[in-house]
Amino acid sequence: MSTLKETLYKKIEQHRPRTTRLLKDYADTKVGEVTIGQAIGGARGVRCLVTDISYLDPHEGIRFRGKTIPETFAALPKPAGSDYPTVEAFWFYLLTGDVPTKKQVDEVVEDWKARRQVPHYVIDVLRAMPRDTHPMTLFSAAILAMQRESMFVKRYNEGMSKMDYWDPMLEDCTTLLARLPSIGAYIYRMKYKADTHIAPNPDLDWGGNFAHEMGIPAPYDDVARMYFILHSDHESGNVSAHTTHLVASALSDCYYALSAGINGLAGPLHGLANQEVLSWTMKFLDQLGKEDYTEEDVSKALWDTLNSGQVVPGYGHAVLRKTDPRYTAQREFCLKHLPDFPLFKLISTIYKVAPGILQEHGKAKNPWPNVDAQSGVIQWYYGLTEWDFYTVLFGIGRALGVLANITWDRALGYPIERPKSVTTTMLEEVAGVTSAELAGAAK
Ligand code: CMX
């Protein structure tokens, strides 16, 4: 058994009685109430998911296993010469809550290297799809294609005990994770770099090797590490995390579950917003028609977007009520590495102007930027200008959080998910809406 698996097993054994006790003795204790607004309005704020891997406070932002983003970056071991930890160290930490030693990290790095070869049939699937297919569709299809390899399915069919579900789930998640950066890089180079490919470098960690296979020199290896960690987890209610959790709750394996989660991430209100931010900013530059724009010009272009009924991409959030600390972390990177880059300056001007405009507009509950408002600028600076690809980068990172979560879901025996629906008439009855009022409203 690997050190990671052994550590995780101990944590699972310690945790199981806590969940069992809550279910046995306190199952009827209320965590909150559900309002009509929540039932119709996308279940905002309904407390009906449990995860210990990350927690999102509306005012403070995300904590991974109790640590803020700067604390996480500071605590985890880093490769020589890097400012950011290895993703492998972060995976150990997300799964177990323990900051790993260098030796423990090295073990995960070697394990992932041994599993990272992308099978040839996956490449065949990618190549069989039309070349103008969106990178997120290619990414999701590649993940789904590997479902045939699931250890979880094999062991399930052999009749494994429920208590053991987490073990083959972890095996599958590890194999899937190990391959994701190479799949992403293959899609990128097949579509945008004349179908030329770069073989993996056996000396490099997951993030470092991704930069290498993309063909982008340092410090892009650190960009990759930072980016994947920042995008990994945002508690369980967002579309990609919730979808992955929901699909896995039917005991679908991680290939089915992650592919579904990636499809949710591909929506413009969720992960695709990072691509939207860049395409919108470029249109916006065209509209302004000059590089010496003023804050008034930016303000007018923002109002044009809002007045035409569109959302300002990269701004607003369903939970957060302040600037997303993932935005801040990336902004700090930009201030250090690309302070004079014109696109960064424009994004900074939008940051200055947009919150006030959104407040004046009066609709968005949160006028502050989210993670997607800042991420494309960094990619663009390092030559990754094909913004259709940006959500794949988000997806590679997001896989870390959602796969850690479904491993724990199986460890704690979370059941198949099945909330209850009601009819509109039932809501009207609860609200005390009379038939006379309804008849009046219909006129
Ligand atoms: N620009 C304009 N209007 C906005 C807005 C924005 N950035 N954010 C919210 N609004 C509007 C909503 O469309 C909604 O309008 P209607 O009442 O007409 O339907 C109203 O404000 C209330 O919305 P909300 O409660 O503040 O926000 P939601 O929880 O419904 O939605 C989100 C959250 C992120 C989908 C929304 O803020 C949005 O569309 N933002 C732009 C897209 C974006 O950046 N998405 C990425 C989020 C992070 C991620 O998942 O990657």
Side-chain angles (χ1 to χ4, degrees):
M1 206 187 252
S2 70
T3 317
L4 171 57
K5 199 183 262 190
E6 214 173 299
T7 312
L8 179 60
Y9 181 56
K10 279 189 200 135
K11 300 277 171 177
I12 290 170
E13 289 285 283
Q14 284 163 12
H15 198 111
R16 274 178 174 153
R18 294 173 63 195
T19 304
T20 309
R21 172 145 193 258
L22 285 171
L23 270 179
K24 190 168 157 282
D25 299 335
Y26 302 99
D28 293 329
T29 304
K30 287 196 177 168
V31 197
E33 304 281 348
V34 180
T35 64
I36 289 178
Q38 290 169 317
I40 298 177
R44 275 317 165 283
V46 176
R47 292 159 185 260
C48 62
L49 292 164
V50 186
T51 177
D52 297 296
I53 290 178
S54 66
Y55 181 76
L56 180 59
D57 179 87
H59 300 286
E60 189 195 50
I62 192 72
R63 277 182 184 262
F64 302 118
R65 289 279 183 191
K67 289 194 197 302
T68 62
I69 290 169
E71 286 166 1
T72 304
F73 283 152
L76 295 172
K78 298 166 189 62
S82 291
D83 288 339
Y84 293 89
T86 57
V87 177
E88 289 88 336
F90 183 67
W91 172 244
F92 192 111
Y93 175 63
L94 271 193
L95 271 177
T96 65
D98 287 353
V99 172
T101 62
K102 184 178 175 313
K103 191 162 167 282
Q104 287 170 328
V105 176
D106 289 347
E107 201 181 294
V108 182
V109 171
E110 291 313 310
D111 184 27
W112 286 16
K113 279 183 193 168
R115 297 176 193 243
R116 78 175 165 207
Q117 181 67 43
V118 179
H120 212 276
Y121 68 85
V122 176
I123 304 295
D124 291 343
V125 167
L126 292 174
R127 303 193 70 79
M129 294 173 80
R131 212 44 69 84
D132 64 354
T133 306
H134 192 279
M136 283 297 273
T137 315
L138 294 167
F139 190 51
S140 175
I143 293 166
L144 191 58
M146 294 187 284
Q147 188 281 329
R148 59 186 283 283
E149 296 186 40
S150 173
M151 285 290 296
F152 183 86
V153 171
K154 183 170 177 292
R155 294 270 309 277
Y156 184 84
N157 290 339
E158 288 165 0
M160 85 177 133
S161 153
K162 275 185 176 185
M163 299 301 276
D164 295 335
Y165 282 175
W166 68 274
D167 185 335
M169 183 57 97
L170 176 65
E171 288 297 328
D172 279 354
C173 290
T174 311
T175 302
L176 176 52
L177 268 178
R179 293 173 180 174
L180 289 181
S182 297
I183 292 172
Y186 192 91
I187 292 170
Y188 177 70
R189 298 197 60 92
M190 179 179 78
K191 270 185 78 90
Y192 308 115
K193 293 291 164 189
D195 207 4
T196 57
H197 299 279
I198 300 169
N201 180 338
D203 297 330
L204 296 175
D205 63 293
W206 202 72
N209 187 57
F210 174 72
H212 164 78
E213 287 193 51
M214 290 289 287
I216 310 178
Y220 192 73
D221 53 343
D222 256 353
V223 171
R225 293 181 192 105
M226 169 187 71
Y227 197 95
F228 293 144
I229 292 173
L230 287 182
H231 287 78
S232 62
D233 210 34
H234 220 220
E235 64 170 42
S236 290
N238 63 79
V239 169
S240 51
H242 189 203
T243 307
T244 308
H245 163 79
L246 169 67
V247 173
S249 82
L251 295 188
S252 299
D253 58 64
C254 73
Y255 299 94
Y256 281 126
L258 181 64
S259 174
I262 291 296
N263 297 343
L265 191 70
L269 294 187
H270 190 19
L272 204 79
N274 61 8
Q275 135 174 2
E276 301 270 299
V277 168
L278 248 281
S279 62
W280 175 82
T281 310
M282 289 304 169
K283 256 190 249 153
F284 187 61
L285 265 180
D286 269 359
Q287 232 177 9
L288 290 167
K290 52 186 176 183
E291 291 205 351
D292 57 339
Y293 51 81
T294 61
E295 285 183 20
E296 286 68 40
D297 294 327
V298 172
S299 162
K300 183 184 170 307
L302 281 162
W303 275 115
D304 287 347
T305 299
L306 290 168
N307 290 335
S308 64
Q310 296 167 55
V311 295
V312 175
Y315 280 75
H317 200 271
V319 178
L320 278 168
R321 293 295 175 259
K322 63 162 267 191
T323 296
D324 189 336
R326 301 172 300 173
Y327 178 96
T328 309
Q330 293 181 94
R331 181 173 161 77
E332 277 163 11
F333 180 94
C334 292
L335 287 168
K336 180 169 173 196
H337 293 274
L338 45 129
D340 300 322
F341 185 44
L343 193 57
F344 173 58
K345 287 189 163 169
L346 174 56
I347 293 288
S348 298
T349 309
I350 296 172
Y351 183 32
K352 233 169 146 184
V353 174
I357 290 180
L358 283 168
Q359 269 161 335
E360 199 182 325
H361 184 242
K363 275 192 164 187
K365 293 191 188 71
N366 175 36
W368 302 103
N370 60 59
V371 65
D372 297 316
Q374 186 69 244
S375 56
V377 181
I378 303 179
Q379 301 301 332
W380 188 280
Y381 182 78
Y382 289 104
L384 212 165
T385 53
E386 301 85 357
W387 59 62
D388 276 12
F389 187 73
Y390 292 174
T391 315
V392 174
L393 299 170
F394 194 155
I396 297 172
R398 180 49 51 96
L400 293 155
V402 301
L403 295 180
N405 268 291
I406 60 173
T407 301
W408 269 98
D409 289 352
R410 296 292 72 78
L412 298 179
Y414 286 171
I416 186 164
E417 197 171 284
R418 195 3 177 142
K420 182 78 186 83
S421 58
V422 290
T423 65
T424 305
T425 306
M426 289 174 184
L427 292 183
E428 285 162 349
E429 278 166 14
V430 174
V433 177
T434 61
S435 42
E437 276 176 286
L438 285 174
K443 277 184 194 156

